[in-house]
């Protein structure tokens, strides 16, 4: 009997068996307010260049993923315009003068439908690509992501986006607990804080891959392209 050769992506802590038809590219929160100069992230004093270096590797990965007809899902962090899904604790956290729901540099901050809430033009979703609007840091909490993945037979995720230690980490942990295998290409995820970027990646692959695998977009593309 002939066996179908398994595709394998070079990764840490060990190679990732890759099944393209069952693997979605999940791009987390590449939103204008987190990434663009003059947005909410920069207004809070963050260095957006730490996130912007992820745009080009994500663009390349997305372009190849699309050209091969593989599945792509995007997420956005944000809330209803009436803020009924915004926990009061999240609204006041940080004691900022301007917080979620207030008027910011690109419209109301993290409110659905506002310019700053939308995805950056470089990675803009196609009409065929689901966009998950999530009120929390994790993409599974209070969303239909798990149902969409199950309905499409997806068991593996390549998780990219921002920020590494917040929404990417929370999503990878949620996915791992639901039985998904997650691979994180390190050049496609970013943190405002270099030390959190390094620690966040180490945590994923520690203890034999406690939450998942870490690799690079080049290594992923060497198998897909
Ligand atoms: N998308 C995401 O990570 N949301 C955040 O609020 N991240 C921060 O690092 N603040």
């Amino acid at each position: 009997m002939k066996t179908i050769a398994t595709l394998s992506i070079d990764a840490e802590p060990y190679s990732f068996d890759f099944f393209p038809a069952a693997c979605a590219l999940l791009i987390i929160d590449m939103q204008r307010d987190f990434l663009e100069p003059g947005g909410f992230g920069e207004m809070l004093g963050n260095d957006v260049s730490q996130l912007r270096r992820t745009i080009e590797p994500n663009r390349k990965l997305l372009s190849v993923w699309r050209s091969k007809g593989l599945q792509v899902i995007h997420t956005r962090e944000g809330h209803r315009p009436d803020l009924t899904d915004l926990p009061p604790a999240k609204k006041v956290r940080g004691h900022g003068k301007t917080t979620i729901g207030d008027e910011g540099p690109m419209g109301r901050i993290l409110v659905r439908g506002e310019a700053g809430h939308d995805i950056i033009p470089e990675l803009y979703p196609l009409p065929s690509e689901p966009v998950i609007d999530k009120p929390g840091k994790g993409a599974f909490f209070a969303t239909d992501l798990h149902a969409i993945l199950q309905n499409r037979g997806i068991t593996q995720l390549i998780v990219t986006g921002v920020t590494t230690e917040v929404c990417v980490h929370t999503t990878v942990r949620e996915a791992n607990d639901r039985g998904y295998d997650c691979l994180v290409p390190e050049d496609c995820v970013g943190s405002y804080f270099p030390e959190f970027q390094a620690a966040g990646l180490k945590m994923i692959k520690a203890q034999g891959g406690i939450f998942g695998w870490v690799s690079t977009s080049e290594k992923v593309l060497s198998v897909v392209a």
Side-chain angles (χ1 to χ4, degrees):
M1 193 176 77
K2 269 192 180 173
T3 53
I4 299 165
T6 305
L7 293 173
S8 180
I9 298 173
D10 183 21
E12 293 182 283
Y14 52 89
S15 60
F16 182 85
D17 289 343
F18 173 54
F19 302 99
C23 185
L25 174 62
L26 180 64
I27 307 178
I28 304 290
D29 299 0
M30 292 294 278
Q31 292 163 257
R32 297 184 62 199
D33 250 334
F34 291 128
L35 285 129
E36 291 196 350
F40 180 53
E42 192 174 74
M43 201 184 89
L44 294 176
N46 292 310
D47 174 9
V48 294
S49 69
Q50 295 291 339
L51 305 193
R52 293 192 64 79
R53 63 163 186 78
T54 70
I55 296 174
E56 185 53 22
N58 265 293
R59 198 194 55 74
K60 273 196 201 142
L61 192 57
L62 177 60
S63 151
V64 171
W65 221 258
R66 284 171 173 165
S67 76
K68 300 289 175 185
L70 302 179
Q71 310 204 56
V72 179
I73 299 176
H74 305 257
T75 73
R76 299 185 293 204
E77 180 178 354
H79 298 275
R80 295 168 180 259
D82 65 6
L83 305 183
T84 47
D85 62 349
L86 175 62
K90 186 176 179 182
K91 170 74 179 164
V92 301
R93 185 72 49 79
H95 298 152
K97 223 169 58 201
T98 308
T99 62
I100 296 169
D102 295 343
E103 205 56 50
M106 289 191 277
R108 292 179 66 205
I109 292 161
L110 295 191
V111 169
R112 295 173 194 160
E114 301 287 335
H117 170 264
D118 212 352
I119 292 173
I120 56 170
E122 295 92 329
L123 303 175
Y124 208 76
L126 296 177
S128 59
E129 295 167 353
V131 178
I132 306 290
D133 277 319
K134 61 188 188 64
K137 303 305 181 194
F140 289 84
F141 170 68
T143 73
D144 52 8
L145 176 60
H146 190 48
I148 291 173
L149 297 177
Q150 287 188 315
N151 294 340
R152 293 184 164 202
I154 293 165
T155 61
Q156 307 191 315
L157 298 169
I158 306 289
V159 186
T160 73
V162 300
T163 62
T164 307
E165 78 281 14
V166 184
C167 293
V168 172
H169 240 255
T170 307
T171 298
V172 168
R173 290 169 188 238
E174 287 181 329
N176 182 65
D177 281 349
R178 286 163 176 80
Y180 297 95
D181 283 332
C182 296
L183 180 144
V184 177
E186 60 186 23
D187 52 322
C188 293
V189 295
S191 167
Y192 295 121
F193 308 97
E195 68 272 32
F196 293 165
Q197 170 79 0
L201 292 167
K202 272 190 191 163
M203 285 180 198
I204 292 167
K205 65 188 177 190
Q207 301 183 65
I210 194 83
F211 304 128
W213 285 257
V214 175
S215 185
T216 64
S217 62
E218 197 183 337
K219 287 177 176 171
V220 174
L221 288 176
S222 73
V223 174
V224 179

